[in-house]
Amino acid sequence: MKEEIHLHTRREFLRRSIFLTSAAWTVPTFLNRTVWALENSGPLAGVKVSPDDPILVVIQLSGGNDGLNTLVPYTNDAYYKARPMLAVPAKDVLKINDVLGFHPNFARLKSMLDSGKMAVIQGVGYPNPNRSHFRSMEIWHTASDSDKYETSGWIGRYFDNHCKGCDPTTAVNIGKLMPQAFSAKIPFGVTIEDPEMYRWINTSTRYGDAMKSAEAVFRKINKASADPKAMPQMGDEPPQSMDYLQRTAMNAQLSSDRIREVVKQYHSNVAYPDTGIGYGLKLVAQMISGKLPTRIYYVSQGGYDTHANQLNDQNKLLAELSEAVFSFYQDLEQQRNGERVLSIAFAELVRRVTENAAKGTDHGAAGLIFAFGGKIKPGIHGEAPSLTDLNRGDLKFNIDFRSVYATVLENWLRVSSTPILGRSFPKIGFV
Amino acid sequence: MADSTSSLLAPYTGPWDERAAAHLLNRVCFSAPIEQIEMLMKQTPDQALQRLLYYEYTPESCPDPSCAEPSVPSPDAVPKSQSNEQERQMQRKEQQRMEKEHGMELQAWWIQRMVTTPRPLQEKLTLFWHGHFATSFVKVKNAYLMWLQNETLRRNANGNFKKMLLEISRDPAMIVWLDNNSNVKGKPNENYAREVMELFTLGEGHYTEQDIKESARAFTGWSYRKQGSQQFQFQPKQHDVGEKVFMGKKGNWDGDDIINIIFEQPHCARFIVNKLWVYFAYENPEPEVVDGLAQILRENNYDLKPLLWKLFSCRAFYSERAIHAQIKSPAQLVVGSFQILKRELPDDPNLLQIILNVFRLMGQELFAPPDVDGWDGGLAWVNTASLLLRYNFSNYLVHGIPPENMVGKIGKAGKPPSPPKGEVTRALRRSAKVLDVASLCDLSRLATSEQIVRHFARLLWNDQPDQENLREFTRFLDTNESGGTFAFQAQNPAAEEKIRGLVHLMMSTPQYQLC
């Protein structure tokens, strides 16, 4: 017990002194590695994570983006026939090739596609598609077959298989709620929305600093369980509330000081749009620039469930996405991190070919995934599904979404995907 | 084995002690204050439950919010008086702004009602039904309609489940929320029909895509008046009178027929019983519990009281799986904290805004659930960010000073509130009201620091601290800043501040997140 306290203090000291001495926040890599190594030798012994490893950013387009109005088959009569009110006029489309073009609000992303930093994977879906919003979301998050029920998420199983004992900041979710994709046997990763609030605040100032000792007690009672060995073992059952809370309290403690410090150090002249997705990606850029050991960031942009009056809503969302991703990569390139960061944007649900009476689209079966980054193989991947050969009014998929996960896991995060996805899926050549 | 499982629903006959009474209060109400526990223990469990469940007999007077009248013109009606497009736009914007303000007022009104109501189960059930028939102001954009739905949920909260669904199917907010106003003959919109079965009554896997298509036709023409009373309106011309085949039954069904057929499915009772059990007791209930309770619900034609009586009085409800094992929802945490700490909801609009922000930041914005599936609840309430937020909300309740970022109007979706004007923060600091320690304990009667810690653990956790916590907390009370001994004396303002520190610490723990 004593030895651990000593070790802990020494790590703290080392870490703190690094924060203090690195004025420009350019920590020599070897020194930084030492900190993580030290950290990993203590209660968090396990896999080492280095701040130079490749990073994956997952962007969820919540509610289900309408792919046909995003990547528009502008020469296809069937498209205009199915969408008398909603179709994007051919003259407005940002043409990519003879048959496909982007929605006009994707101008920024079109420039990324042209400069080789964007890929589009089309016709992505899964067998026996489920049109229920929630079930389909669950399938995308857990990567299960549509007739099987899985509680853990695909990213959660990546943690369980490859990150046992890693620093909790190995995965960071921006937002209020943790996505199901993060669900793991052992609660893992951190969720953060506002770095300023990401600490224990004590405003008892009445009697000078008489309350400083409270902070020490707080750390002790919330870290009392910081030794995973002392934590109850978690099996296949969902964790008990108390175990889960203690684990989360520990993860919050371990990540709070570091994330706030990193965000404070960030400087950039890249302007981000004043939107939710702009805010989220900026925060991710801040953390990347601060060399956190994070391998996976998760950001969401909500509002895509356009059952009615789709035009205005989707126009706005696509513009917001386009602007935010563009700024994000500008920022990353200035940090020289553009090649280290792969982003994929997916919708957990897709929309039907034919518009409905409410100038909207209902839930459908096959859609698009976007990928961004300095190291990807740009352009359009996969075949466009036929607009006339439909399955119950839906496009037929030709790429299983788990092929995209497998590609990311194997070719980018460099781990075996079979234990995570349950079996092997063919990889797509976008990275 | 058969014996032990079949007895899960047998009446609880264990001790009617502080632990049991606190558990009942925590689940039926938003908190278990010591005075209430003591009052309950003087009654029999049946007497206690009788009063809590049959709350109609408890008088209540709660004034309506200002949005309880339809606004004229209704916010979604496009004004036709002005011909100028620009003026029309401006008027629409102004209406939306007003509507948003009404929406916030409505949120504050409900929170206040939860804190002060003499019928806590009524509000707790209304909150359950709000999460079940989850409808959001974000799309409905009409505070009056949201209030109307809230009243429908409250009126039926412990009444009859089927009657509730019949009324909800005619509820204007629901009609807007799930697009049934655009569900018309020839071009059916399946949104409402799908959710009726998937989320409201049966759950996935107990109906077919064909059932959705056919029942959507049955609900065609169920719309509402956009002007004037803004009430439900059946539009016969939009209604599809053709024959439909629903769950194997052929006929010219309308929406009511569809609901009648759904309620004949044995799974319907199991579905809602399971959800109620998770809300009030624990997750993953034993099949025996669900089947037994579902049978009660069906035998009583979907009347909820007999079911709820059994739920709150059976052995399983008082088992180790239930007690101190539920993660408090944000509503339970915030409303309960106001009650336990005997604090009043602030009048100051800036402070009230903080409470609304807290609900939103913790992930349970009232009248604005994330989607029609409602809130996930359970473990999903807590992650690193929301846990720290819960802790920091305690700081505000104890020390009276909100952290900067809880202040001010909240920003765009996904963004934290924009930093407040310094002036607002300074004013809040000046007017900060600290926790009144004397209202929570009589220091002259608590002789030792251990007694103080045990008293507050009972008050805040409804439990006793383990050895480690007891040691840390007593040491905190007994030590002054220079490491010497802190001498406790009643009426010493420093002692009161020490106790406020203790309360804040005890609320900043995993234990306080459970009930």
Side-chain angles (χ1 to χ4, degrees):
Chain A
M1 193 62 197
K2 251 192 178 145
E3 205 173 283
E4 264 180 24
I5 290 167
H6 173 72
L7 230 175
H8 176 75
T9 320
R10 201 170 146 240
R11 281 200 316 277
E12 288 260 280
F13 167 74
L14 239 174
R15 190 205 301 162
R16 274 174 204 285
S17 59
I18 286 167
F19 276 116
L20 290 175
T21 51
S22 60
W25 196 238
T26 49
V27 186
T29 308
F30 78 91
L31 194 51
N32 218 346
R33 276 187 201 279
T34 318
V35 181
W36 308 131
L38 268 174
E39 213 134 78
N40 290 334
S41 71
L44 291 168
V47 182
K48 285 191 187 69
V49 268
S50 126
D52 295 320
D53 287 330
I55 292 168
L56 174 68
V57 179
V58 180
I59 304 170
Q60 177 177 317
L61 312 180
S62 300
N65 178 37
D66 176 29
L68 276 179
N69 271 20
T70 310
L71 184 68
V72 183
Y74 66 93
T75 56
N76 194 324
D77 289 342
Y79 167 68
Y80 289 98
K81 217 166 163 184
R83 304 254 171 121
M85 296 183 286
L86 291 185
V88 182
K91 63 174 171 54
D92 295 344
V93 164
L94 308 171
K95 296 182 175 71
I96 296 167
N97 56 34
D98 291 344
V99 288
L100 292 170
F102 273 153
H103 186 283
N105 288 359
F106 255 23
R108 295 291 206 180
L109 294 188
K110 176 69 167 39
S111 75
M112 283 184 73
L113 186 78
D114 292 342
S115 59
K117 290 173 196 138
M118 178 180 185
V120 183
I121 304 133
Q122 57 179 347
V124 185
Y126 56 89
N128 306 315
N130 192 305
R131 279 176 180 172
S132 147
H133 194 97
F134 311 101
R135 180 63 191 135
S136 192
M137 167 118 73
E138 204 168 77
I139 290 166
W140 276 84
H141 278 242
T142 61
S144 73
D145 291 332
S146 69
D147 59 349
K148 292 207 180 78
Y149 289 80
E150 189 66 72
T151 51
S152 64
W154 70 282
I155 297 173
R157 291 198 295 277
Y158 164 73
F159 306 147
D160 282 337
N161 279 287
H162 301 286
C163 304
K164 277 224 173 79
C166 281
D167 185 287
T169 53
T170 301
V172 175
N173 166 52
I174 313 290
K176 292 181 188 54
L177 299 175
M178 195 185 77
Q180 193 181 8
F182 271 41
S183 291
K185 274 185 196 156
I186 298 173
F188 193 81
V190 306
T191 288
I192 177 170
E193 182 162 69
D194 178 359
E196 263 311 298
M197 287 292 287
Y198 199 68
R199 67 195 167 97
W200 189 66
I201 296 168
N202 181 359
T203 48
S204 169
T205 49
R206 223 152 242 240
Y207 300 99
D209 59 357
M211 281 297 128
K212 269 194 186 151
S213 57
E215 173 99 25
V217 176
F218 168 74
R219 285 186 183 255
K220 234 176 197 166
I221 54 177
N222 273 277
K223 249 189 177 177
S225 43
D227 182 355
K229 276 169 281 177
M231 302 282 288
Q233 286 302 308
M234 299 192 195
D236 288 334
E237 292 288 303
Q240 298 293 303
S241 310
M242 192 57 177
D243 304 337
Y244 178 83
L245 283 162
Q246 288 179 336
R247 196 58 85 143
T248 307
M250 176 188 88
N251 287 348
Q253 283 296 294
L254 289 173
S255 56
S256 157
D257 294 347
R258 200 180 303 156
I259 288 180
R260 284 184 307 115
E261 187 63 37
V262 149
V263 169
K264 244 185 252 168
Q265 301 283 344
Y266 166 89
H267 295 287
S268 168
N269 55 17
V270 173
Y272 282 81
D274 183 24
T275 57
I277 181 72
Y279 171 84
L281 287 176
K282 182 178 178 180
L283 191 52
V284 172
Q286 292 174 327
M287 290 191 241
I288 291 174
S289 81
K291 298 198 183 298
L292 285 181
T294 311
R295 304 297 306 276
I296 297 185
Y297 291 96
Y298 203 97
V299 191
S300 302
Q301 183 195 20
Y304 281 98
D305 200 11
T306 49
H307 282 283
N309 301 317
Q310 172 174 310
L311 276 184
N312 278 341
D313 290 351
Q314 200 202 12
N315 288 354
K316 191 171 138 258
L317 291 167
L318 291 181
E320 288 182 1
L321 177 69
S322 172
E323 300 285 327
V325 170
F326 184 80
S327 299
F328 180 54
Y329 271 91
Q330 258 193 326
D331 194 353
L332 290 179
E333 275 157 32
Q334 285 188 9
Q335 300 172 14
R336 296 170 190 277
N337 279 324
E339 296 202 339
R340 254 185 80 202
V341 181
L342 169 73
S343 306
I344 56 167
F346 80 101
E348 80 283 4
L349 191 110
V350 287
R351 316 205 74 84
R352 214 168 290 180
V353 176
T354 310
E355 65 190 21
N356 63 24
K359 295 181 192 160
T361 48
D362 295 325
H363 303 168
L368 307 172
I369 288 185
F370 307 119
F372 311 97
K375 262 188 169 172
I376 58 167
K377 301 197 178 78
I380 312 280
H381 297 257
E383 273 174 50
S386 161
L387 286 180
T388 47
D389 175 22
L390 301 175
N391 171 24
R392 295 187 306 154
D394 283 333
L395 298 174
K396 287 182 181 167
F397 82 104
N398 44 44
I399 291 177
D400 192 305
F401 71 103
R402 288 163 295 187
S403 273
V404 178
Y405 292 174
T407 310
V408 167
L409 289 166
E410 303 255 346
N411 294 2
W412 189 255
L413 295 174
R414 307 236 165 252
V415 295
S416 164
S417 65
T418 316
I420 296 167
L421 301 175
R423 59 178 186 269
S424 163
F425 287 90
K427 293 193 279 293
I428 321 288
F430 68 94
V431 60
Chain B
M1 191 66 198
D3 256 19
S4 71
T5 48
S6 61
S7 64
L8 282 171
L9 288 181
Y12 170 71
T13 51
W16 185 237
D17 55 5
E18 181 160 340
R19 183 176 161 86
H23 175 60
L24 180 65
L25 281 170
N26 269 318
R27 298 303 170 88
V28 169
C29 315
F30 291 90
S31 62
I34 288 178
E35 307 81 46
Q36 300 253 359
I37 296 174
E38 287 170 349
M39 194 178 90
L40 237 66
M41 286 168 65
K42 287 186 193 133
Q43 303 173 314
T44 67
D46 280 3
Q47 284 169 335
L49 188 53
Q50 178 85 24
R51 182 177 56 83
L52 292 165
L53 175 56
Y54 289 79
Y55 49 71
E56 294 85 346
Y57 300 99
T58 305
E60 184 200 30
S61 62
C62 178
D64 287 340
S66 62
C67 65
E69 300 278 332
S71 38
V72 182
S74 84
D76 40 16
V78 185
K80 285 178 184 135
S81 49
Q82 280 91 0
S83 49
N84 185 322
E85 174 61 24
Q86 211 179 348
E87 269 180 43
R88 256 191 309 211
Q89 279 247 326
M90 270 178 58
Q91 195 174 334
R92 227 174 290 155
K93 271 214 173 118
E94 173 60 17
Q95 270 181 3
Q96 276 176 12
R97 195 192 59 76
M98 289 261 298
E99 226 26 62
K100 252 186 204 162
E101 228 152 75
H102 285 313
M104 278 166 26
E105 229 181 280
L106 184 61
Q107 292 179 325
W109 169 83
W110 196 8
I111 297 168
Q112 173 77 308
R113 189 166 188 169
M114 290 180 192
V115 174
T116 56
T117 179
R119 303 173 174 181
L121 182 58
Q122 174 178 274
E123 296 316 307
K124 204 137 169 194
L125 277 166
T126 306
L127 184 60
F128 169 81
W129 295 116
H130 176 41
H132 185 67
F133 296 111
T135 304
S136 172
F137 180 81
V138 173
K139 179 168 171 185
V140 176
K141 293 187 176 126
N142 183 327
Y144 168 66
L145 296 187
M146 295 305 295
W147 172 78
L148 213 59
Q149 185 187 70
N150 193 249
E151 283 296 299
T152 298
L153 300 176
R154 185 170 292 106
R155 194 169 56 248
N156 293 293
N158 66 354
N160 184 286
F161 178 42
K162 187 166 160 185
K163 178 163 172 282
M164 167 113 72
L165 186 63
L166 290 168
E167 289 189 29
I168 280 295
S169 301
R170 291 170 170 79
D171 174 66
M174 179 60 80
I175 287 170
V176 178
W177 171 238
L178 291 181
D179 304 310
N180 213 61
N181 45 352
S182 63
N183 183 19
V184 294
K185 184 180 170 179
K187 278 215 163 183
N189 184 308
E190 297 168 6
N191 223 3
Y192 185 67
R194 176 184 303 280
E195 306 310 6
V196 161
M197 285 179 276
E198 179 179 341
L199 297 175
F200 301 164
T201 58
L202 294 173
E204 236 252 320
H206 297 273
Y207 53 87
T208 65
E209 285 291 315
Q210 192 61 25
D211 290 332
I212 290 174
K213 286 206 160 74
E214 296 290 289
S215 55
R217 290 173 54 214
F219 282 107
T220 47
W222 287 42
S223 193
Y224 77 107
R225 282 174 218 275
K226 283 200 168 181
Q227 293 297 345
S229 66
Q230 299 184 38
Q231 297 211 342
F232 172 75
Q233 185 176 37
F234 177 67
Q235 295 170 325
K237 280 184 190 162
Q238 310 280 22
H239 181 66
D240 182 342
V241 293
E243 187 181 74
K244 297 129 193 147
V245 183
F246 179 70
M247 300 200 161
K249 295 195 171 183
K250 211 181 275 184
N252 169 20
W253 309 128
D254 69 7
D256 287 347
D257 299 323
I258 295 296
I259 290 172
N260 281 326
I261 298 172
I262 289 174
F263 275 77
E264 287 166 9
Q265 310 298 313
H267 196 71
C268 179
R270 273 203 295 273
F271 179 79
I272 197 67
V273 154
N274 183 69
K275 204 163 170 182
L276 278 162
W277 183 269
V278 170
Y279 183 77
F280 284 114
Y282 51 78
E283 295 190 22
N284 303 313
E286 297 81 356
E288 289 79 1
V289 168
V290 177
D291 290 343
L293 291 176
Q295 196 186 338
I296 293 175
L297 188 60
R298 275 170 68 81
E299 281 169 2
N300 289 281
N301 298 315
Y302 292 94
D303 269 344
L304 292 160
K305 281 199 191 78
L307 157 72
L308 291 168
W309 182 277
K310 181 52 107 179
L311 193 162
F312 290 125
S313 60
C314 70
R315 273 186 210 169
F317 177 74
Y318 285 99
S319 68
E320 287 308 309
R321 278 193 78 184
I323 297 179
H324 288 308
Q326 185 177 61
I327 294 184
K328 291 175 183 168
S329 69
Q332 183 88 14
L333 183 87
V334 175
V335 171
S337 297
F338 272 102
Q339 292 172 335
I340 296 175
L341 299 182
K342 298 185 177 150
R343 302 221 70 167
E344 285 179 2
L345 225 55
D347 289 328
D348 178 302
N350 284 313
L351 288 175
L352 208 50
Q353 181 69 51
I354 291 169
I355 310 300
L356 304 188
N357 287 348
V358 162
F359 267 85
R360 178 162 175 177
L361 293 168
M362 287 180 186
Q364 194 179 29
E365 188 176 13
L366 299 176
F367 299 101
D371 51 44
V372 58
D373 197 16
W375 294 284
D376 288 346
L379 301 185
W381 288 130
V382 171
N383 57 56
T384 51
S386 69
L387 187 63
L388 287 170
L389 197 98
R390 283 166 173 239
Y391 290 180
N392 292 336
F393 170 68
S394 314
N395 172 68
Y396 163 62
L397 276 186
V398 171
H399 295 302
I401 300 171
E404 284 252 317
N405 291 41
M406 282 187 187
V407 182
K409 281 222 171 107
I410 212 155
K412 290 205 174 72
K415 284 170 61 184
S418 41
K421 309 245 180 333
E423 213 174 291
V424 175
T425 316
R426 278 194 294 279
L428 292 177
R429 267 177 204 280
R430 276 197 303 275
S431 66
K433 284 200 188 106
V434 295
L435 183 71
D436 178 13
V437 171
S439 72
L440 301 179
C441 68
D442 183 353
L443 273 184
S444 63
R445 298 178 68 176
L446 294 169
T448 66
S449 53
E450 179 174 335
Q451 279 174 0
I452 295 173
V453 171
R454 288 194 182 281
H455 172 76
F456 279 98
R458 194 178 158 221
L459 186 95
L460 297 166
W461 295 352
N462 302 126
D463 203 358
Q464 280 306 315
D466 64 17
Q467 283 307 311
E468 188 186 1
N469 281 321
L470 184 64
R471 195 175 58 236
E472 288 302 326
F473 290 134
T474 50
R475 193 187 293 159
F476 169 74
L477 289 179
D478 290 340
T479 315
N480 69 18
E481 280 315 296
S482 39
T485 309
F486 182 89
F488 258 101
Q489 283 168 328
Q491 274 93 46
N492 175 359
E496 294 204 346
E497 188 66 0
K498 258 291 192 206
I499 290 193
R500 276 190 281 274
L502 175 73
V503 172
H504 179 204
L505 277 170
M506 290 186 113
M507 292 170 83
S508 303
T509 52
Q511 283 87 341
Y512 189 68
Q513 313 312 313
L514 293 172
C515 71

